[in-house]
Amino acid sequence: MTGRHAPAAPRSILVYVGLDLVGDGLMKLPFVRALRQAFPAASIVWLAGKGPSAYSGTLAPLVEGLIDEVVDDAGVGAGWNEMLDPLKGTSLHGRTFDLVIDTQRRVKTTLILKRIPHRVFISGAAGYLLSNRRPPFGHRRPTAMIRQMLDLLELASGQPAVPTVTRTIDRTADDLARTLLDDGRAIYVGLVPGAGGKHKCWPLDRFIDLGSRIAGRGQTPVYLLGPGESEWADTIRSSIPSAVLPLQDPRAGALGTSPLLTIALAARFTAAVANDSGGGHMLAAADIPLLSLFGPTPPAKFAPFVTRGAVLRAQDFGGGEMSNIPLQAVDDALELLLAESRPDPNRGCR
């Protein structure tokens, strides 16, 4: 590119989303981390135009230092009357942005957002027709939502999207996690046996058998049970005396139902196993080695995004029922993740 200068890094960035419920916010965290990694000096505004954002509420501690400003439920991107001045009536009115990233694909909304004063506009709507930068010919849109968002970031930065910014964990939740999992010598292995529906759950007795194997290897199984799964606690405790159930510990208090505590606990795990569930995405927010178990839902679309992970599908063992996934297959995949997480005793001893 002789004679040409690389474009200046944006100093102001606006990211548009429709809304972020807690589950949405957890799935989008790798994008937020990669965005800050790509543009460390930029002022980043997160605009939720059609509803609330968990980044201004429950998940705010997780984006501290990554997002500079969250504007939620702004009423932007819905009506043609916004075409003249999309940001009118919002706290962003009158501002210009070096980079606008539109993460949704509804053409009407994209046409409105393109009227926001900007230098570069990135959008995947209408096959990138309205975007200032487009992927190469033949590009196929990824199935996973997070991968679609990372593709937009790569267009904006011209570099691979790398979500490697140090994870942020709520300090109060982290202190409590240290209290609940206080053995610094233990190898904690997380187990999340619940899910939004029973059809997405690997059988509880298999999770208990897996926990027994973990305990037999001198590791500590940690079961994370949601409020609707507390009835499993006595069965787990009687089957595996060494198991830890931190969310049912009275010391967890009100934080026992908060995703922030689950994420803080997960950060202390060497590895974990989870069904396709919200709990799995909470573990992924801590970016730990994670084995995800899938049955009726496609992992290509819904698998949590982690630096190191593995997926087992019921379809690969004879059908879509979760009970088709063998205990041995799960244990073998978990052991591989644990082995990869242990320090190499021979490293540096040449």
Side-chain angles (χ1 to χ4, degrees):
M1 297 182 62
T2 305
R4 297 183 64 182
H5 296 286
R11 292 184 296 176
S12 57
I13 299 173
L14 177 71
V15 178
Y16 179 89
V17 297
L19 52 75
D20 301 308
L21 302 179
V22 171
D24 303 315
L26 290 171
M27 287 190 286
K28 293 173 185 176
L29 269 177
F31 170 81
V32 175
R33 291 166 174 164
L35 180 67
R36 177 53 73 193
Q37 178 80 1
F39 303 114
S43 174
I44 298 174
V45 177
W46 192 267
L47 173 62
K50 299 179 181 179
S53 174
Y55 290 159
S56 67
T58 302
L59 301 183
L62 303 184
V63 297
E64 183 179 350
L66 304 180
I67 295 175
D68 297 287
E69 183 178 354
V70 178
V71 180
D72 66 349
D73 209 4
V76 174
W80 290 116
N81 60 316
E82 300 172 44
M83 287 292 291
L84 291 177
D85 195 351
L87 298 180
K88 185 177 181 179
T90 76
S91 60
L92 304 177
H93 188 238
R95 290 168 62 172
T96 298
F97 296 90
D98 292 331
L99 171 64
V100 174
I101 300 178
D102 169 23
T103 67
Q104 61 84 57
R105 294 193 305 276
R106 188 167 177 254
V107 173
K108 177 182 177 181
T109 299
T110 301
L111 288 170
I112 293 169
L113 298 176
K114 198 169 173 65
R115 299 287 294 176
I116 296 173
H118 64 271
R119 181 163 60 86
V120 176
F121 184 81
I122 303 293
S123 175
Y128 297 91
L129 184 63
L130 302 172
S131 182
N132 293 140
R133 298 173 188 167
R134 304 175 188 177
F137 179 77
H139 173 79
R140 298 184 63 180
R141 181 164 58 88
T143 301
M145 178 200 70
I146 184 57
R147 188 62 252 181
Q148 295 171 22
M149 295 181 72
L150 292 174
D151 275 6
L152 295 175
L153 177 55
E154 290 180 356
L155 284 179
S157 67
Q159 301 291 331
V162 183
T164 57
V165 171
T166 302
R167 60 178 178 250
T168 304
I169 297 175
D170 178 69
R171 291 180 181 178
T172 300
D174 189 40
D175 289 342
L176 180 55
R178 291 176 183 275
T179 298
L180 297 173
L181 301 180
D182 60 358
D183 186 350
R185 298 171 297 175
I187 296 176
Y188 291 114
V189 180
L191 300 171
V192 182
K198 297 297 184 184
H199 63 294
K200 297 168 67 176
C201 291
W202 198 45
L204 178 61
D205 61 351
R206 305 266 184 91
F207 266 108
I208 291 175
D209 289 343
L210 180 62
S212 295
R213 292 189 178 194
I214 291 167
R217 293 192 285 263
Q219 302 157 356
T220 302
V222 181
Y223 287 86
L224 299 180
L225 304 181
E229 298 143 12
S230 294
E231 61 186 28
W232 297 344
D234 288 343
T235 301
I236 293 170
R237 289 190 182 106
S238 62
S239 301
I240 315 170
S242 65
V244 180
L245 287 75
L247 300 182
Q248 279 63 51
D249 190 313
R251 293 174 295 176
L255 271 179
T257 58
S258 168
L260 296 179
L261 178 57
T262 296
I263 294 166
L265 290 166
R268 303 180 69 77
F269 297 163
T270 304
V273 181
N275 296 313
D276 170 27
S277 63
H281 287 284
M282 293 180 203
L283 298 182
D287 196 22
I288 59 170
L290 178 62
L291 174 59
S292 300
L293 307 181
F294 275 78
T297 48
K301 185 173 183 179
F302 296 110
F305 188 98
V306 288
T307 301
R308 187 165 69 255
V311 171
L312 290 180
R313 303 188 316 153
Q315 290 88 341
D316 294 332
F317 299 97
E321 298 291 330
M322 292 293 285
S323 58
N324 286 325
I325 302 177
L327 171 63
Q328 191 61 52
V330 175
D331 196 23
D332 289 345
L334 173 61
E335 271 286 87
L336 182 58
L337 282 177
L338 287 166
E340 292 172 346
S341 302
R342 296 181 189 121
D344 183 352
N346 296 318
R347 184 174 298 169
C349 298
R350 297 182 181 180

